[in-house]
Amino acid sequence: MALRFPHHVQPASHDLRPERQDRVESRLEGLAHRLVGQLRHLQRSGPSVQRMLRAIDEQGEKLKPLSDAELRSGLEPLRLALYEDGLTEQTVVTSFALIRELSQRVLGMRHYPSQLTGGLVMLQGMVAEMETGEGKTLTATLPAATVALAGIPAHVISVNDYLTGRDADLMEPLYQALGLRVGRVVHGQNPAERRQAYDCDITYATNKELVFDYLRDRLTLAERLDPLLLQAEYLHGSAPRSERVLMRGLHFALVDEADSILIDEARTPLIISGGEGGNEEREFLEQALDMARTLEQGKDFVLDEARRQVLLTDQGKQTIEEQTKSLGPLWNGLVRRESTLYQALTALHFFHRDEQYLLRDDKVQIIDEFTGRVMADRSWEQGLHQMIELKEGCELSQRRETLAKISFQKFFRRYLHLSGMTGTAKEVTAELWAVYRLQTQRVPTNRPVIRQLWPDRVFAHEQDKWQAVVEQIRDQHQSGRPVLVGTRSVAVSESLAKQVARFGLPHQVLNAKQDATEADIVSRAGQAGAITIATNMAGRGTDIKLGPGVKKLGGLHVIATERHDAARIDRQLAGRCGRQGDPGSCQAFLSFEDLLLEGNRAGFAAHLVRRLAIVLPLLGPRLSRWSIQLAQAHVEHYHARIRKELFRRDQAQGSLLSFSGRLE
């Protein structure tokens, strides 16, 4: 069966912006969307992957003798076939073979069979689970270029500006050889630059910039999204809205690190805000912060470490009411009074410098908890950002008012065709299907994985753990092996760096403060004797190449200094070594005082097992592993509940923007 994109999803200008709608479809819309959705069933109803791989190889052999000019002469017939016939077995085979041959000639890189398989999986609307180091950047060119040659705008989405720019720059010569234009959407661009990038055949963009541009367009268009109305404005209006918006619609999305973007970051909605309030707010917030410092933990409030929430007690509410009676009219309202103290307590007890944020140019800048990178010009809502600015003695920024917001779940479900790739998807396979209707397909590695996972070392006290970490770094450095140490936060990475410096060991630190020099630091992390201490910002998307002679020494050695909230993140860190058949090893150094097991984050069962491990030293190693697994399962379950609740609210919400142009 030939699968083709309907003509209405091939717009040539800004007059149509197709996307999936959260409303009852008309019969024609339902038919069009079902035709697009048939791509997801290509594998089951059409040719097998193995047969297509053989056909691509056969087609590739025919292309090898051709000159560059002869090879490019086949592009126009391929475009026409893709447009008229759709994504059939023959057109996909021809496209993949041509892309692979041009890649060999232009980039000097030829797609492996595993990369061809990953490309086919994504073209079918699934998530390709590919081992770290399998070359996902090159893999993405196959489905992205194929749909772009068919006239479908393609978005390749990654987690940060660095990877977006790097991947677009690396792959642009191949796209240019295919006659395709490549755009980049990163932080700091003006509307004209963004509009030009979205007008390209293939657009590389970060997930957050993409969603914010979508929200800006929705604010511009308000609720009047009828295509005929937009066309009428375009033809007859003096300033049509279709010329002010940025995007052409949500056609085809290829999400890199899909589990991070679609799962980990889906707990928090993205918000566009405008200025609110004035200087009179400063005194009010200062009063709240001063009062919060006088409240007693356990008496006036309790901390829920697992949920990172403050709970005011009845005594605390009464204390707040009594202390605010003489502070003015802003303190009269019960909801405003208690919510403001809640934010003040949250700023004091759950947000710490060099963990959730850092100070740069006397401004509070948020550190993305999933990438470790600074999110410039972003701020927390509902007065929390201003509380933290006051706490740090910074100039107070203007308080923000929510204009529109959307969750990642709701946004990515609006793409007509969604696909992705990641190295760690098996733990969230069920959620990817339940929320996005995305199947997950494991892709075999190009070469056997020979990475060694050494047994965890667990200590009763954190101080003993860090001493052992430094000794391990010193031992591996003396053997000549490069070492990568993963830490949870900026503060921890800098503290460990000071301990390493006491031994006179040369090292590099990579965290949010060094984001401008990330590429240079990572490029040297695989050299003999190199020591790199990094937050998890170095754990995804960048490749550490081994220096001369390092393979014989055993390859890169990775040290994990703490377990993360999700076991997937731990696997990502381990995947920094032993790529593409290279040797490598990884070992975790843990303690019962680590953040994961602190407070009530771990859950009752994990705490019980931890106590048993301390009093029964012979069973300590096995019990410690159980306690950590239980703690991770407890936190993962809680985060999954947050995402499920957010998704449920999204489904219940009738529309993105309310009558006033703001979100209900």
Side-chain angles (χ1 to χ4, degrees):
M1 176 180 178
L3 303 178
R4 63 179 72 190
F5 283 96
H7 292 296
H8 85 281
V9 299
Q10 302 182 28
S13 66
H14 281 99
D15 53 345
L16 287 175
R17 286 164 194 82
E19 63 182 65
R20 295 184 186 274
Q21 299 296 322
D22 294 333
R23 58 181 173 81
V24 178
E25 296 175 332
S26 68
R27 291 185 61 188
L28 289 177
E29 287 174 321
L31 176 62
H33 289 164
R34 281 194 295 275
L35 287 173
V36 176
Q38 284 176 332
L39 281 168
R40 300 184 176 186
H41 305 289
L42 181 62
Q43 184 179 32
R44 287 177 293 183
S45 62
S48 71
V49 169
Q50 291 302 317
R51 191 167 82 227
M52 292 189 74
L53 291 178
R54 290 193 296 269
I56 292 170
D57 286 338
E58 293 172 1
Q59 184 73 17
E61 291 300 318
K62 298 177 182 179
L63 297 177
K64 285 182 179 180
L66 300 181
S67 66
D68 291 350
E70 290 173 328
L71 200 62
R72 290 187 174 90
S73 67
L75 286 172
E76 196 55 39
L78 175 60
R79 282 179 178 269
L80 185 61
L82 283 167
Y83 186 85
E84 293 185 347
D85 300 332
L87 295 172
T88 65
E89 177 180 358
Q90 184 56 49
T91 57
V92 171
V93 165
T94 302
S95 177
F96 275 39
L98 185 60
I99 294 168
R100 182 170 67 167
E101 182 62 28
L102 276 174
S103 175
Q104 173 69 50
R105 300 187 186 190
V106 175
L107 301 177
M109 294 186 287
R110 186 175 183 82
H111 297 81
Y112 300 129
S114 60
Q115 293 171 320
L116 295 174
T117 302
L120 290 172
V121 167
M122 287 184 281
L123 203 58
Q124 295 159 20
M126 295 190 284
V127 172
E129 185 176 26
M130 303 177 67
E131 183 73 26
T132 53
E134 288 296 297
K136 291 189 283 291
T137 300
L138 186 62
T139 302
T141 61
L142 294 164
T146 297
V147 299
L149 287 170
I152 310 299
H155 293 166
V156 182
I157 304 162
S158 63
V159 295
N160 59 68
D161 288 347
Y162 167 72
L163 293 178
T164 295
R166 184 204 67 178
D167 292 354
D169 291 343
L170 287 175
M171 299 298 116
E172 187 168 27
L174 172 58
Y175 292 130
Q176 289 177 338
L178 291 164
L180 301 172
R181 295 177 302 124
V182 181
R184 302 156 183 79
V185 177
V186 295
H187 182 73
Q189 291 177 318
N190 60 43
E193 292 170 331
R194 292 171 181 270
R195 191 176 296 111
Q196 184 178 15
Y198 287 121
D199 278 340
C200 292
D201 303 295
I202 299 171
T203 304
Y204 281 75
T206 64
N207 54 332
K208 290 184 174 67
E209 295 297 329
L210 193 69
V211 177
F212 282 128
D213 285 342
Y214 175 80
L215 287 176
R216 293 183 187 105
D217 282 353
R218 292 301 296 260
L219 286 171
T220 299
L221 295 171
E223 298 215 4
R224 305 173 68 191
L225 296 174
D226 184 81
L228 294 178
L229 180 60
L230 291 177
Q231 286 182 337
E233 286 187 6
Y234 181 79
L235 293 173
H236 303 291
S238 58
R241 290 174 294 158
S242 57
E243 288 188 351
R244 302 198 304 272
V245 298
L246 305 171
M247 305 173 70
R248 288 194 284 168
L250 305 179
H251 307 83
F252 177 90
L254 195 163
V255 183
D256 192 10
E257 309 298 358
D259 62 317
S260 176
I261 292 175
L262 300 180
I263 300 297
D264 292 336
E265 300 200 36
R267 300 203 307 266
T268 307
L270 283 88
I271 299 170
I272 280 189
S273 9
E276 183 189 47
N279 293 331
E280 67 275 6
E281 289 266 303
R282 183 181 184 94
E283 183 181 0
F284 173 69
L285 297 178
E286 286 178 338
Q287 291 170 341
L289 199 62
D290 291 340
M291 190 184 310
R293 290 191 173 103
T294 67
L295 298 179
E296 296 181 30
Q297 183 175 346
K299 177 182 177 182
D300 298 316
F301 66 93
V302 293
L303 300 180
D304 186 338
E305 299 283 353
R307 295 166 174 79
R308 292 180 61 81
Q309 291 179 351
V310 176
L311 303 175
L312 291 172
T313 64
D314 291 338
Q315 175 64 45
K317 293 177 182 179
Q318 183 178 348
T319 301
I320 293 169
E321 182 179 3
E322 292 174 353
Q323 292 187 12
T324 57
K325 286 181 179 179
S326 60
L327 293 181
L330 286 176
W331 289 101
N332 291 342
L334 173 65
V335 174
R336 181 182 180 91
R337 179 171 66 235
E338 294 186 357
S339 63
T340 303
L341 262 298
Y342 170 86
Q343 294 290 50
L345 289 167
T346 300
L348 290 174
H349 295 283
F350 286 119
F351 287 81
H352 308 289
R353 188 194 302 186
D354 292 338
E355 292 184 14
Q356 287 76 32
Y357 63 91
L358 55 80
L359 296 185
R360 181 178 290 175
D361 300 327
D362 293 326
K363 293 182 179 179
V364 172
Q365 297 199 343
I366 300 174
I367 299 175
D368 191 323
E369 66 174 303
F370 304 106
T371 66
R373 290 174 170 83
V374 170
M375 296 193 293
D377 298 333
R378 299 284 192 264
S379 61
W380 288 292
E381 63 173 338
Q382 298 178 351
L384 176 60
H385 202 88
Q386 288 69 32
M387 286 291 184
I388 296 172
E389 288 172 332
L390 285 176
K391 184 180 77 169
E392 295 293 346
C394 299
E395 182 180 350
L396 196 65
S397 62
Q398 192 175 31
R399 194 169 181 177
R400 314 297 288 174
E401 176 191 18
T402 298
L403 300 178
K405 68 179 178 180
I406 193 171
S407 68
F408 278 121
Q409 291 104 320
K410 189 166 189 174
F411 172 76
F412 282 106
R413 280 163 53 89
R414 292 183 173 228
Y415 271 96
L416 296 178
H417 185 81
L418 178 63
S419 62
M421 54 185 178
T422 180
T424 49
K426 67 180 181 181
E427 294 94 339
V428 291
T429 296
E431 188 170 348
L432 287 171
W433 172 253
V435 176
Y436 304 99
R437 286 298 182 262
L438 280 173
Q439 297 181 15
T440 302
Q441 180 67 46
R442 176 70 179 171
V443 177
T445 58
N446 182 54
R447 296 176 181 173
V449 177
I450 60 174
R451 178 188 311 121
Q452 297 180 4
L453 298 178
W454 295 358
D456 296 348
R457 295 185 61 184
V458 184
F459 301 85
H461 302 291
E462 193 174 27
Q463 182 179 354
D464 297 333
K465 177 188 76 171
W466 290 116
Q467 182 178 344
V469 167
V470 174
E471 291 175 357
Q472 176 77 275
I473 294 172
R474 183 181 57 185
D475 292 344
Q476 295 299 322
H477 175 74
Q478 290 175 349
S479 72
R481 294 184 65 184
V483 179
L484 173 68
V485 187
T487 61
R488 285 186 64 113
S489 68
V490 173
V492 174
S493 67
E494 293 181 341
S495 173
L496 177 59
K498 291 178 181 177
Q499 297 182 53
V500 170
R502 294 192 189 104
F503 285 88
L505 299 175
H507 62 278
Q508 291 282 340
V509 178
L510 178 56
N511 56 42
K513 296 181 179 180
Q514 290 82 31
D515 52 2
T517 58
E518 175 181 351
D520 180 58
I521 294 175
V522 172
S523 68
R524 291 181 276 125
Q527 300 300 311
I531 299 173
T532 307
I533 301 171
T535 54
N536 60 1
M537 66 182 294
R540 309 202 76 159
T542 52
D543 198 18
I544 297 178
K545 299 185 182 299
L546 300 182
V550 172
K551 287 185 180 181
K552 294 182 180 179
L553 298 173
L556 178 69
H557 181 63
V558 174
I559 298 175
T561 60
E562 203 164 337
R563 291 302 188 198
H564 293 79
D565 289 350
R568 288 178 295 106
I569 303 178
D570 298 328
R571 288 206 291 132
Q572 293 155 15
L573 179 61
R576 305 298 291 135
C577 65
R579 295 184 172 208
Q580 282 293 334
D582 287 340
S585 57
C586 178
Q587 187 172 29
F589 288 73
L590 314 170
S591 86
F592 288 126
E593 295 178 346
D594 288 347
L595 181 62
L596 184 66
L597 297 173
E598 193 177 78
N600 58 358
R601 288 170 58 83
F604 175 76
H607 281 303
L608 179 61
V609 175
R610 181 182 70 169
R611 294 191 188 101
L612 288 173
I614 294 174
V615 299
L616 299 174
L618 293 179
L619 297 177
R622 180 174 297 179
L623 290 173
S624 63
R625 286 194 296 271
W626 286 350
S627 65
I628 291 167
Q629 290 170 1
L630 286 170
Q632 283 184 323
H634 178 78
V635 177
E636 286 176 344
H637 179 68
Y638 169 67
H639 289 166
R641 286 208 334 263
I642 294 177
R643 294 191 295 267
K644 185 176 181 180
E645 177 61 22
L646 182 59
F647 180 48
R648 187 194 64 77
R649 291 200 303 266
D650 275 350
Q651 287 184 307
Q653 180 183 301
S655 61
L656 175 65
L657 298 177
S658 69
F659 174 77
S660 64
R662 301 189 180 108
L663 178 65
E664 288 282 8

